[in-house]
Amino acid sequence: MCQVDEDYHDQFEHADPPSVSKKCVKCKEATAAVVIRARDVYCRGCFKEYFIHKFRAMLGKNRIIFPGEKVLLAVSGGPSSCSMLSQVQEGLSQNAHKKLRFLPGIIYIDEGGAVGQSVKDRLRMVAELQAVFKATGFPFHIVPLEQVLDLPSSVVMKAPSPSEQPASAYKAAVDNFIQNDSSSCLTPQEQEETSLPDVQESHTQLLQQLIGSAKTLTAKEDLLNTLRQHLLVHTARTEGYSKLMLGDNCTRVAVKLLTSISLGRGAQLAQDTGFSDFRYDDVIFVRPMRDYSAKEIAYYNHMFKVPSVFIPNLDTKKTDKASIQHLTETFVTKLQTDFPSTVSTIYRTSEKLQTACKSSSTADHSDRCLLCMCALDTAVEDASAFKATLISEQLSGATTTEIPRQNPTPVNTESTAPTGQCCSSETGEDCGRAASGGGSCSSAKAPETTDLKSLLCYSCQLTIKDMSSVDQLPQYILSEAHRRLMRSQMREVISGFLLDDGDEAD
Amino acid sequence: MPVLCSSCGNKRAVLKRPKTGHSLCKECFFWAFEEEVHQTIVSAKLFNHGERVGIAASGGKDSTVLAHLMKLLNERYNYGLELMLLSVDEGITGYRDDSLETVKRNEQQYELPLKIVSYEELYGWTMDAIVKQVGLKNNCTFCGVFRRQALDRGAIILKVDKICTGHNADDVAETVLMNVLRGDIARLRRCTAISTSSEGDGVVPRCKPLKYAYEKEIVLYAYFKKLDYFSTECIYSPNAYRGYARTFLKDLESVRPSSIMDVIHSGENLSVREGVKMPQQGTCNRCGYISSQALCKSCVLLEGLNRGLPRLGIGKHHRLHDKILSQQPLTEKEERKLKAVDF
């Protein structure tokens, strides 16, 4: 069960090194050009066909993107998302065998400000990408991450989810689309010639302060990831896109799955790695590239000259142990070289996990994490890692006199202070906000940190814990946090008069 | 400048808790550590008053600390448990014989009755003999499968209601990672459970009171309490795949100390998609032990050993189960595949 070679032994016994002059396993005529897996060698033509088919099959199988729908492609400039872009282009071209029928647009988020690139470098990269995007003829949006500072709170609020579409609706929509008009081709929109939307230097500084307030690279990366997602969703909404395509490939998904586990995001795994992600209700994230290995994509991009641009990110040129994300990536890549089935095994694990809990659409949005918008996983039973950690914190941090409090004795029946909006000091540390000098926590941290935590999932709490202060968080997050806190306070006040504990819509 | 204990605030701190980063004095650490295990036992309702509980004791740090704590908490909080030690002698010269000496000393120190069951009397094979036939690869499979059953048999001899094992938080987190790497969804779902429900006859429920205790803190506790334990790696497990998961976990812990708990939290909150095929639990046609196949793993392994085909239980050979049950001979080709490979 725990031995190194156990599961691979049989394969190793017969595996002979792939010879150079082998014929393609598909057409058995042409000379093979690429080795995808141990014995799967393909010629150029068959490899292209295989690659293209995989993309269409992925979309066809999942039936999530409807004909005529506006789809935003999130392109980072990396090989995977650029490959995705070229596949969409290929699928929409006139001579495509099974044409794709949606209306694509491109979004690139320029994170240079957060990573600390110079304005000159940022402009150069944007120019490079712009050239790539223009060549596709698709409308594109180049958005600097600084814009995240000006987002409205609606981003982190529950959006009205679109009416549920039954499976049969897909076929009807396709028929309808074909009858109406199939010749309508995308008219490349006129793109204004701005190279980079104006970014005020003060905004860049604010963003850098925000990223800088995270003390660990792990938290920095997590925070950046969250902000990026918010900006993607917001842009999709304002520009009228209902789907967002991410370029995560199989290798990426495997790394992400293991990273998510390491970060305590077990409950959100399926959303983080699945084909579709419904957490933003009206904008659905899809990952059409998750069947391709990084190697396949690299081969394809190389053979068919798909351009990509190298963009440095937070963990570029960092040591292995700089962050959990980076450590995991190194671990998976290294293990993959020793055990070639590592990535696909982890990937298959992700397939077996529950996909987004769509059924929870009735749940009040305050049951969702303020940052990652996933269902909260902190309401767990007493015997759990989460509670055990809290107990440890209490036992070794607090003074011994406070210990008897550890037993969960909900004595909240006591009436609140007459002032109404403030909780009485007796209700304990959950209400640290009552007075900033309340002294309910021993450390001198901003009282908001403890407050904010009640609105976050387990993993996002860890990220916030790694931040020196939450004051730097963008206003849209802080004001939504305030709103939710007020609301739960109100709820507490009127709780005696509510007939059942059921969730009511806001 | 001496650092003061963050809990009592007046004594000098002697250690930094790996789990929370707090600096504590010796007494406060003991107290916090013991209290946490007590909380785990209470909140997960691991035991009932009056039960007979077997402590799986190997003589290593985890089980020694477990035995110490169980005795201490049983008295302090009046659990009303009847405790005893249960050891398995795998028959590994230079390893288990030495560690069993520790267990025998523990028997005296804690005044708990001790029962030792050996592979030799249960299966007719010692690990030394198995390794001679199987080699250093895959021998952990034999040891692990046999131990599981040996513990159950020992528990039945002792007539205990429950067995508690010394699995710590690191072990659990490591297993979560392992099962992800192996794609074993059924085990992934089960491995974070703190106790097994009674699965049938001949299987005694097990629990892990140290599930949320960091390995490092267990060592600290044993060190400061000056507990008598045996610390040597097993001589037969040089290159287990688990090692990769372990190294990775240790690296994670060094980046973010809460990682161990974070991984367990992840494991506890995984939801498996409906319709994913899960193995069905049945019983072994030969020995009656729980098994998802016609024959349980230990019967297959034993059959392989006795027939001189050690690889019979390594990898998947379910199709051969019928043949083994009806005592048919295997074909030459099948036999060749199952002979020990050169090592």
Side-chain angles (χ1 to χ4, degrees):
Chain A
M1 182 202 273
C2 51
Q3 298 286 291
V4 179
D5 297 326
E6 172 178 274
D7 294 329
Y8 309 97
H9 217 98
D10 289 340
Q11 289 128 53
F12 281 158
E13 276 174 346
H14 314 286
D16 40 356
S19 64
V20 191
S21 58
K22 264 205 171 153
K23 293 277 180 243
C24 167
V25 291
K26 197 84 184 284
C27 62
K28 298 185 175 65
E29 282 168 15
T31 314
V34 286
V35 185
I36 301 176
R37 279 170 303 267
R39 264 174 293 172
D40 290 353
V41 287
Y42 281 70
C43 69
R44 211 180 135 88
C46 289
F47 176 58
K48 187 171 186 181
E49 208 172 283
Y50 153 87
F51 199 89
I52 291 173
H53 172 77
K54 212 165 170 175
F55 190 77
R56 313 255 168 91
M58 191 59 149
L59 291 177
K61 191 175 72 186
N62 287 286
R63 298 194 160 191
I64 262 183
I65 296 178
F66 280 56
E69 199 170 7
K70 280 180 82 179
V71 176
L72 191 57
L73 313 175
V75 178
S76 67
S80 208
S81 56
C82 284
S83 204
M84 174 174 80
L85 178 59
S86 89
Q87 283 307 301
V88 171
Q89 237 184 311
E90 166 77 40
L92 286 165
S93 64
Q94 280 304 323
N95 50 5
H97 169 52
K98 275 192 173 167
K99 248 181 101 155
L100 297 175
R101 301 192 186 91
F102 56 82
L103 306 172
I106 305 170
I107 180 166
Y108 167 70
I109 294 189
D110 169 25
E111 295 166 10
V115 181
Q117 273 180 315
S118 69
V119 179
K120 207 177 112 203
D121 280 347
R122 292 177 73 176
L123 286 174
R124 188 171 50 78
M125 278 170 189
V126 166
E128 253 182 84
L129 279 161
Q130 214 168 23
V132 175
F133 296 162
K134 268 195 183 145
T136 64
F138 300 156
F140 61 88
H141 315 272
I142 292 178
V143 187
L145 188 65
E146 281 84 347
Q147 284 192 11
V148 85
L149 298 169
D150 299 323
L151 290 188
S153 283
S154 58
V155 176
V156 279
M157 283 157 91
K158 185 183 156 64
S161 53
S163 51
E164 200 91 350
Q165 279 157 322
S168 58
Y170 182 80
K171 200 161 179 353
V174 174
D175 293 343
N176 192 21
F177 182 83
I178 295 171
Q179 270 173 17
N180 277 350
D181 187 14
S182 51
S183 66
S184 93
C185 195
L186 275 175
T187 45
Q189 285 178 6
E190 285 301 309
Q191 285 287 334
E192 59 273 47
E193 277 299 306
T194 51
S195 45
L196 181 64
D198 268 345
V199 180
Q200 289 170 6
E201 219 186 293
S202 61
H203 267 63
T204 308
Q205 274 174 8
L206 274 176
L207 182 68
Q208 278 169 354
Q209 276 168 17
L210 168 59
I211 300 289
S213 66
K215 290 175 289 184
T216 60
L217 191 63
T218 308
K220 280 188 173 69
E221 286 187 43
D222 201 45
L223 187 64
L224 183 62
N225 191 29
T226 306
L227 296 175
R228 184 194 303 122
Q229 259 193 22
H230 289 171
L231 192 52
L232 284 174
V233 169
H234 178 73
T235 315
R237 279 185 185 148
T238 48
E239 303 289 338
Y241 294 93
S242 47
K243 298 278 151 54
L244 191 112
M245 272 190 187
L246 300 170
D248 294 324
N249 60 44
C250 180
T251 316
R252 189 77 225 131
V253 166
V255 171
K256 222 172 177 175
L257 183 116
L258 211 54
T259 309
S260 285
I261 288 192
S262 313
L263 292 174
R265 295 183 57 80
Q268 297 92 343
L269 267 192
Q271 275 135 301
D272 286 351
T273 60
F275 174 78
S276 51
D277 179 350
F278 293 87
R279 79 180 79 166
Y280 289 100
D281 306 295
D282 58 338
V283 177
I284 296 165
F285 287 22
V286 288
R287 299 186 175 87
M289 302 299 283
R290 68 195 287 279
D291 248 3
Y292 297 99
S293 70
K295 188 170 145 188
E296 280 172 356
I297 291 172
Y299 278 143
Y300 186 89
N301 287 3
H302 176 74
M303 289 172 84
F304 302 102
K305 309 222 159 26
V306 176
S308 58
V309 181
F310 174 74
I311 313 269
N313 57 18
L314 281 176
D315 63 15
T316 305
K317 287 196 201 164
K318 289 282 178 353
T319 57
D320 287 355
K321 284 198 193 177
S323 74
I324 287 181
Q325 293 89 339
H326 199 51
L327 175 71
T328 313
E329 187 175 346
T330 322
F331 172 72
V332 171
T333 353
K334 273 188 186 154
L335 204 59
Q336 171 75 7
T337 51
D338 290 344
F339 303 99
S341 57
T342 303
V343 165
S344 58
T345 309
I346 304 177
Y347 170 76
R348 280 204 310 276
T349 311
S350 79
E351 293 282 78
K352 295 171 195 158
L353 297 167
Q354 185 73 259
T355 37
C357 34
K358 252 172 114 183
S359 53
S360 74
S361 55
T362 48
D364 191 359
H365 68 260
S366 56
D367 292 327
R368 304 240 200 135
C369 172
L370 177 67
L371 289 180
C372 72
M373 293 293 281
C374 288
L376 286 183
D377 54 354
T378 47
V380 287
E381 46 193 314
D382 282 347
S384 63
F386 180 58
K387 288 282 159 64
T389 313
L390 290 182
I391 289 174
S392 298
E393 292 281 341
Q394 273 183 351
L395 283 175
S396 49
T399 52
T400 31
T401 50
E402 280 187 63
I403 296 305
R405 259 211 267 162
Q406 74 205 268
N407 289 326
T409 43
V411 272
N412 282 334
T413 42
E414 171 188 0
S415 66
T416 41
T419 39
Q421 40 141 238
C422 282
C423 355
S424 62
S425 52
E426 274 105 298
T427 36
E429 52 208 11
D430 290 330
C431 299
R433 122 188 52 84
S436 46
S440 52
C441 46
S442 49
S443 61
K445 268 181 194 161
E448 286 96 341
T449 313
T450 30
D451 275 354
L452 213 54
K453 274 192 181 171
S454 65
L455 304 173
L456 299 175
C457 70
Y458 181 94
S459 181
C460 289
Q461 286 189 16
L462 293 174
T463 304
I464 291 292
K465 212 173 140 190
D466 275 359
M467 290 177 74
S468 53
S469 113
V470 293
D471 301 341
Q472 307 284 344
L473 284 176
Q475 198 51 48
Y476 72 95
I477 294 177
L478 292 178
S479 55
E480 170 66 7
H482 182 69
R483 199 189 69 82
R484 288 196 197 179
L485 285 170
M486 290 302 285
R487 216 162 145 87
S488 67
Q489 236 177 75
M490 274 164 66
R491 226 187 129 91
E492 228 165 83
V493 173
I494 58 168
S495 64
F497 304 99
L498 295 176
L499 289 181
D500 57 359
D501 219 26
D503 35 282
E504 100 281 27
D506 250 60
Chain B
M1 196 185 75
V3 184
L4 288 181
C5 169
S6 66
S7 183
C8 62
N10 49 35
K11 279 203 209 92
R12 221 182 116 172
V14 293
L15 60 92
K16 201 175 154 203
R17 280 198 79 176
K19 197 172 179 182
T20 63
H22 289 114
S23 305
L24 293 183
C25 68
K26 215 157 81 175
E27 282 70 31
C28 286
F29 171 67
F30 288 158
W31 193 78
F33 187 81
E34 289 156 7
E35 201 58 22
E36 276 168 36
V37 176
H38 169 64
Q39 288 293 329
T40 308
I41 290 173
V42 171
S43 61
K45 302 186 183 71
L46 294 186
F47 309 109
N48 300 316
H49 196 90
E51 273 177 337
R52 281 167 72 88
V53 175
I55 302 166
S58 65
K61 58 181 178 0
D62 298 313
S63 56
T64 305
V65 168
L66 178 68
H68 173 86
L69 281 176
M70 285 303 292
K71 182 167 167 69
L72 183 115
L73 294 174
N74 190 29
E75 283 161 14
R76 183 185 291 170
Y77 291 102
N78 199 13
Y79 292 162
L81 301 178
E82 196 181 333
L83 299 172
M84 47 209 75
L85 298 171
L86 174 56
S87 288
V88 177
D89 182 4
E90 292 95 343
I92 303 174
T93 322
Y95 171 68
R96 187 51 94 214
D97 41 4
D98 291 352
S99 69
L100 282 175
E101 288 308 313
T102 318
V103 181
K104 283 174 192 157
R105 283 198 301 276
N106 290 343
E107 179 188 9
Q108 309 296 322
Q109 289 153 358
Y110 303 133
E111 296 165 326
L112 298 175
L114 166 68
K115 168 75 193 167
I116 300 176
V117 286
S118 74
Y119 281 9
E120 186 151 32
E121 63 183 85
L122 290 180
Y123 307 105
W125 288 82
T126 62
M127 270 313 282
D128 287 341
I130 291 173
V131 171
K132 228 171 241 169
Q133 200 184 110
V134 183
L136 281 174
K137 275 179 192 163
N138 298 318
N139 64 72
C140 289
T141 306
F142 288 85
C143 194
V145 171
F146 285 165
R147 183 166 40 241
R148 188 196 148 86
Q149 222 183 64
L151 271 178
D152 275 325
R153 296 222 207 160
I156 288 167
I157 297 171
L158 277 177
K159 296 197 182 61
V160 295
D161 302 301
K162 269 164 197 163
I163 306 175
C164 57
T165 57
H167 291 102
N168 58 38
D170 297 50
D171 296 333
V172 177
E174 204 176 283
T175 311
V176 171
L177 294 176
M178 266 280 285
N179 286 329
V180 171
L181 293 178
R182 299 169 65 238
D184 192 333
I185 199 80
R187 283 207 179 80
L188 185 57
R189 207 168 60 162
R190 274 181 283 150
C191 70
T192 49
I194 191 160
S195 58
T196 61
S197 49
S198 68
E199 288 158 318
D201 295 338
V203 187
V204 181
R206 301 183 177 200
C207 58
K208 311 168 188 155
L210 299 180
K211 183 188 169 191
Y212 299 117
Y214 274 35
E215 185 177 281
K216 287 202 175 100
E217 301 206 344
I218 290 174
V219 178
L220 278 170
Y221 187 84
Y223 172 81
F224 282 113
K225 281 272 177 192
K226 303 196 174 60
L227 296 185
D228 180 10
Y229 72 89
F230 179 82
S231 64
T232 307
E233 284 290 303
C234 172
I235 49 172
Y236 290 142
S237 66
N239 50 0
Y241 189 77
R242 191 171 266 276
Y244 292 97
R246 177 167 304 177
T247 316
F248 178 52
L249 187 76
K250 294 281 177 269
D251 286 346
L252 282 178
E253 192 193 356
S254 72
V255 178
R256 183 184 258 178
S258 70
S259 287
I260 292 172
M261 290 302 251
D262 301 345
V263 171
I264 299 180
H265 174 82
S266 285
E268 283 174 347
N269 287 282
L270 283 180
S271 50
V272 175
R273 185 200 284 257
E274 281 165 49
V276 170
K277 242 176 95 183
M278 289 290 171
Q280 289 294 313
Q281 190 186 301
T283 48
C284 172
N285 288 347
R286 180 170 286 182
C287 70
Y289 194 70
I290 47 160
S291 168
S292 58
Q293 307 295 328
L295 276 172
C296 74
K297 192 80 174 170
S298 78
C299 282
V300 176
L301 289 172
L302 210 53
E303 180 81 16
L305 286 172
N306 293 336
R307 285 204 194 191
L309 304 170
R311 295 187 48 76
L312 189 62
I314 310 295
K316 295 200 161 92
H317 305 286
H318 299 161
R319 265 168 279 130
L320 299 179
H321 284 191
D322 292 336
K323 273 195 172 176
I324 300 170
L325 272 171
S326 54
Q327 309 251 314
Q328 285 171 21
L330 301 178
T331 64
E332 204 171 300
K333 198 181 152 203
E334 284 164 347
E335 292 217 356
R336 203 171 345 111
K337 262 179 87 178
L338 300 172
K339 285 255 167 65
V341 282
D342 299 328
F343 45 84

